[in-house]
Amino acid sequence: MFTSVLMIEKALTSADVEFVTGLHGDEEVAFHVLLQPRGEQAARLLRAIDDVALGSLDEAARELEAPAGEQAVSEGQRALDVSLVALRAAGAQAVGRLIEHHPLDSLKSLVDEAGADEVIVLTDPHYVEEFFHRDWASRARHKVGVPVLKLFSHSKV
């Protein structure tokens, strides 16, 4: 069985599920999903800058309305639950947890704990972070000791 750690920032779409479950053909895959709830102020600012860079001013303005604190955790848990159900419905084994602090430390621990074969980072584009190699995938490549695949979500939720 192939073991993948899947880092996400929002609920998986059906296209995302189809994509990640099809990466290894007919091989059985077990996913360990990590989701970091939205709401951190610095991340909110970077998302707004990305939205402006893409010409999506409406999206940038909506960042002010993004949930924070306990509401962000609650919404994150719902997104994680939906994603796990979708992965299982597609025939994959899937377990998951929220990470609130130090996502890369949590990632490294989970990779070691699960004996993961790879890490898949599935997010919306984050151009500012990617330009400076501060996105999850770039930073994880130097930390986890397994291949890291960076994929973009198929649609915004």
Side-chain angles (χ1 to χ4, degrees):
M1 175 172 305
F2 200 84
T3 303
S4 294
V5 174
L6 177 60
M7 286 189 75
I8 60 176
E9 60 186 359
K10 63 182 183 181
L12 297 174
T13 66
S14 58
D16 294 332
V17 170
E18 184 178 332
F19 191 45
V20 298
T21 57
L23 286 173
H24 298 288
D26 292 334
E27 189 168 359
E28 194 172 338
V29 179
F31 289 99
H32 293 263
V33 183
L34 292 176
L35 184 141
Q36 183 173 32
R38 299 181 73 161
E40 183 183 315
Q41 197 64 31
R44 188 180 293 178
L45 175 62
L46 288 172
R47 285 192 306 267
I49 292 170
D50 284 338
D51 291 336
V52 169
L54 290 170
S56 302
L57 298 178
D58 292 345
E59 290 293 322
R62 277 193 217 118
E63 285 301 331
L64 294 173
E65 302 166 6
E70 198 56 43
Q71 183 183 3
V73 171
S74 176
E75 288 187 19
Q77 186 62 56
R78 280 193 299 277
L80 178 61
D81 293 343
V82 164
S83 299
L84 294 174
V85 167
L87 287 166
R88 290 175 190 143
Q93 293 182 23
V95 295
R97 60 182 147 187
L98 293 182
I99 47 173
E100 293 187 54
H101 304 289
H102 311 292
L104 293 174
D105 292 340
S106 298
L107 174 64
K108 173 66 174 144
S109 295
L110 182 56
V111 165
D112 293 341
E113 174 187 314
D117 298 300
E118 70 179 357
V119 170
I120 301 170
V121 177
L122 181 71
T123 65
D124 288 332
H126 298 291
Y127 299 111
V128 174
E129 291 176 334
E130 290 165 19
F131 180 78
F132 291 106
H133 303 285
R134 301 302 301 156
D135 60 298
W136 285 344
S138 295
R139 292 169 45 208
R141 285 186 180 105
H142 302 286
K143 189 167 189 128
V144 297
V146 297
V148 176
L149 180 60
K150 167 78 175 191
L151 302 173
F152 292 122
S153 300
H154 282 78
S155 65
K156 292 194 178 235
V157 189

